[in-house]
Amino acid sequence: MSRWAHYMTVPQVALGFGNSDTAERMFQRALELRPDGIDVNYYYAAFLKEEGNTQAAREHAQRAVNGTARENRQVSDEALRRDAELYSASSNVASILSMTMTRG
């Protein structure tokens, strides 16, 4: 499991060890390394949604939909892509990513 995925599965107060600025820096670094990564953009969208930035969250969800699956993680990346499709197509912005994050 990727580091940011792990942070997203623990209670929200622990995201970035309780510091949104730290989490933001980690996501920005991940995006520098793999800007078209499905997982990077999906989890960043979830983070942005939690931060209340629904427009940017929707944009990164769409990037996840259009992203490139990792060769050794195709199954999990395709599952994230499907969840991101639901989010980017949904008018219920507040619930889709939260719902998919809690079922893990």
Side-chain angles (χ1 to χ4, degrees), residues 23 46 50 55 61 67 79 82 100:
E50 290 297 326
Q55 180 59 37
R82 285 189 301 276
T100 59

Side-chain angles (χ1 to χ4, degrees), residues 34-42 60-78 80-81:
R34 291 192 319 94
D36 65 339
I38 294 170
D39 60 333
V40 174
N41 283 288
Y42 176 85
H60 280 277
Q62 188 60 49
R63 289 181 189 180
V65 170
N66 297 329
T68 303
R70 295 167 291 174
E71 190 172 314
N72 58 343
R73 300 274 194 267
Q74 292 170 334
V75 173
S76 62
D77 282 353
E78 291 305 328
L80 293 177
R81 185 192 314 270

Side-chain angles (χ1 to χ4, degrees), residues 41 45 48 54-64 87-88:
N41 283 288
L48 291 167
T54 55
Q55 180 59 37
R58 191 177 297 278
E59 291 170 12
H60 280 277
Q62 188 60 49
R63 289 181 189 180
Y87 178 70
S88 63

